[in-house]
RNA sequence: GGCAUCAUGGCCGAGCGGCUAGGCAGCGGUCUGCAAAACCGUCUACAGCGGUUCGAAUCCGCUUGAUGCCUCCA
């Protein structure tokens, strides 16, 4: 029996503003689309958090036995600097500044994106389509919208007519805005825009003569509007109606609003049942901005090479830290918070090692089955990873108390405890075991042997009560980043990472 | 200025009307030759002012502040 039959997910639907029971369109199958990055610069840490939130969703749905088709696009054309105006394509701009081809920009930052996500142990999406690979599909959608009368062509460009659309449908349901307010509050200066109204958005843009990113269309040689690619690709791979659409909060308006309008103009109905939006990341209480230096690149976390960081952090620690907050809350990134997360993470992993050598009893003094369900309950409640983690720490405490002889557990319950911890930590939260993750190299074996030797010598000195020598060994190793840990069963060591 | 979201203890962060969140730090223990590490135990909350209710961190109103979008930065 699949787990999803016994676990009911409640998820927060941005469009209704409420938690709703999750029921996929086709039982056992889930279609999920998440707006991917525009590959015009190094992936933003906030982007990492957004995609990590949906990695968590993807992993949990799979864990429950759903067959999930997860589509996450790469925007490699059409994303303008300024959506409301005659902006420049972000990728084209970067290419101009760097004096390289747009596709070189795309390639460079797509590779960066994948490299960083790999380090954080993201599962690859089922399909990762690009905007430039779906120009034909986008043109077909524009034709359809034109035929339905919700778009108009001017000077080789095609714009979506928001006012007209709003007469038959409602524009702004997701972001809870109404078109009248938007018209009254438009601050935009009246530029040389071809648009009938500032709220209209581009479906197709005629390319300037020097613009290299151009494709033929019935209207002009040009390129598609940013919002259109997501409609084209989600429809192609997931259908006119699919289960979950996700993205960062900042995409709610206008991007997702435009997607709804485009799809509804074509198909007469909303494309998505559940909208999910991941919240922002701040740094030291303020928003991240490259211009003020209040910014960390994901890669800098691994080197510690940033004035906001006191040291380097492993991808696991960062992942653990991010998942300790709920995806719908603003999360504040800081060195102190990362240090705290690192200690907590280490404690969790230590307990896992401890658990392997626990003595079992004939009876259990703890209801493991009940605890396990509370882990599921946490995730079922809108993917509440912080509560899940709190539950996992209950497991840590139990393990340590059993070790101290203050609680008891049967072999059967211990197996259940361990498999549950393992499933949630590694499969659902996507952490990797430190011991499994780091393969021992020859150097590490040599180091290990050397330290073991020093431990042996130190123990001989201690047996002779030669404290000066034993403390020298201990202290000088510590200065080198090797900490000796004297326990009841002998001395172990850890190497600072 | 408009729309939206939010404000929890030294720090991070759950909480969706009554019942312990959790992590880190601190404090007290266990262990130790002394330490460190590890483990156990434990204290400090609910932005302000009103209201609803037998009862509010949790619902409503106002005030203050923050964040996102509208206006380059996810």
């Amino acid at each position: 029996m699949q787990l999803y039959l016994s676990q009911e997910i409640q998820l927060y639907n941005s469009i209704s503003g409420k938690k709703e029971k999750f029921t996929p369109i086709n039982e056992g199958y889930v279609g999920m689309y998440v707006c991917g990055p525009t590959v015009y610069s190094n992936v933003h840490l906030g982007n990492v958090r957004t995609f990590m939130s949906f990695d968590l969703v993807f992993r949990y749905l799979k864990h429950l036995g759903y067959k999930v088709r997860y589509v996450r696009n790469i925007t490699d054309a059409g994303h303008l600097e300024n959506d409301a105006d005659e902006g420049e394509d972000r990728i084209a701009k970067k290419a101009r500044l760097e004096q390289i081809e747009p596709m070189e920009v795309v390639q460079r930052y797509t590779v960066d994106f994948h490299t960083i996500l790999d380090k954080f142990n993201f599962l690859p999406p089922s399909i990762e389509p690009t905007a430039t690979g779906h120009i034909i599909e986008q043109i077909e959608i524009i034709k359809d919208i034109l035929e339905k009368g919700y778009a108009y062509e001017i000077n080789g460009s095609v714009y979506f007519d928001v006012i007209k659309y709003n007469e038959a449908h409602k524009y702004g349901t997701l972001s809870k805005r109404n078109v009248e307010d938007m018209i009254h509050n438009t601050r935009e200066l009246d530029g040389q825009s071809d648009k009938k109204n500032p709220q209209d958005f581009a479906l197709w843009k005629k390319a300037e003569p020097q613009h290299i990113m151009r494709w033929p269309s019935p209207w002009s040689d040009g390129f598609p509007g940013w919002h259109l690619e997501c409609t084209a690709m989600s429809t192609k791979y997931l259908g006119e109606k699919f289960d979950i659409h996700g993205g960062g909060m900042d995409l709610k308006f206008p991007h997702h609003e435009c997607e709804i309008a485009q799809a509804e103009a074509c198909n007469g109905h909303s494309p998505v049942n559940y909208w999910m939006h991941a919240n922002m990341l701040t740094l030291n209480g303020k928003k991240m901005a490259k211009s003020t230096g209040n910014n960390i690149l994901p890669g800098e976390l691994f080197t510690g090479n940033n004035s906001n960081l006191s040291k380097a952090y492993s991808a696991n620690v960062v992942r653990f830290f991010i998942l300790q907050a709920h995806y719908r809350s603003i999360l504040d990134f800081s060195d102190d918070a990362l240090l705290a997360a690192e200690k907590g993470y280490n404690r969790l992993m230590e307990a896992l090692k401890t658990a392997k050598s626990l003595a079992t009893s004939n009876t259990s003094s703890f209801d493991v089955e009940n605890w396990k369900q509370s882990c599921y309950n946490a995730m079922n409640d809108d993917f509440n990873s912080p509560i899940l983690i709190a539950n996992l720490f209950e497991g840590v405490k139990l393990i340590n108390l059993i070790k101290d002889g203050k609680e008891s557990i049967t072999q059967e319950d211990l197996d259940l405890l361990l498999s549950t911890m393992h499933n949630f930590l590694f499969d659902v939260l996507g952490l990797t075991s430190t011991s499994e993750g780091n393969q021992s190299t020859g150097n590490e074996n040599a180091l290990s042997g050397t330290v073991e030797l020093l431990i042996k010598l130190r123990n001989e000195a201690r047996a002779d009560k030669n404290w000066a020598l034993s403390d020298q060994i201990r202290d000088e190793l510590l200065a080198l980043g090797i900490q000796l840990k004297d326990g009841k069963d002998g001395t172990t060591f850890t190497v600072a990472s």
Side-chain angles (χ1 to χ4, degrees), chain A residues 447-449 451-452 455 482-485 491-495:
Chain A
L447 176 66
S448 170
V451 177
E452 292 296 342
I455 289 172
I482 296 168
Q483 181 168 47
L484 300 187
K485 297 177 177 180
T491 303
T492 56
F493 72 95
T494 53
V495 184

Side-chain angles (χ1 to χ4, degrees), chain A residues 96-161:
Chain A
R96 179 170 56 77
L97 293 173
E98 305 241 328
Q99 295 193 306
I100 54 177
E101 288 294 321
M103 275 300 151
E104 289 183 271
V105 173
V106 167
Q107 178 69 15
R108 178 184 298 171
Y109 295 112
T110 300
V111 168
D112 170 74
F113 176 64
H114 286 146
T115 304
I116 294 293
L117 262 53
D118 276 351
K119 287 197 174 142
F120 282 111
N121 195 34
F122 279 63
L123 293 178
S126 321
I127 302 176
E128 193 167 45
T130 60
T132 55
H134 297 77
I135 302 289
I136 292 168
E137 288 84 348
Q138 298 185 67
I139 289 172
E140 290 305 310
I141 289 178
I142 298 171
K143 284 185 191 164
D144 194 12
I145 296 174
L146 278 167
E147 271 173 34
K148 302 263 165 63
Y150 292 118
Y152 54 90
E153 183 196 346
I154 290 181
N155 296 331
S157 292
V158 182
Y159 295 95
F160 191 95
D161 191 336

Side-chain angles (χ1 to χ4, degrees), chain A residues 231-305:
Chain A
T231 300
M233 296 186 279
S234 64
T235 307
K236 175 158 182 167
Y237 299 113
L238 298 172
E240 284 182 13
K241 185 96 168 178
F242 55 95
D243 298 300
I244 298 173
H245 190 129
M249 276 284 238
D250 50 329
L251 296 181
K252 229 175 177 181
F253 186 90
H255 184 58
H256 290 158
E257 208 67 80
C258 297
E259 272 189 68
I260 292 174
Q262 288 166 164
E264 206 160 323
C266 285
N267 306 320
H269 59 79
S270 160
V272 173
N273 279 338
Y274 303 95
W275 284 92
M276 295 180 71
H277 290 95
N279 215 137
M280 302 289 106
L281 202 58
T282 56
L283 176 60
N284 298 318
K286 282 176 277 189
K287 81 162 165 175
M288 284 200 194
K290 287 171 196 166
S291 53
T292 61
N294 196 237
N295 187 50
I296 299 178
L297 289 173
E300 290 170 349
L301 290 166
F302 307 139
T303 62
N305 184 23

Side-chain angles (χ1 to χ4, degrees), chain A residues 466-477:
Chain A
N466 185 349
W467 309 129
L469 178 58
S470 70
D471 288 357
Q472 186 190 359
I473 293 172
R474 175 227 285 164
D475 296 340
E476 291 191 12
L477 280 177

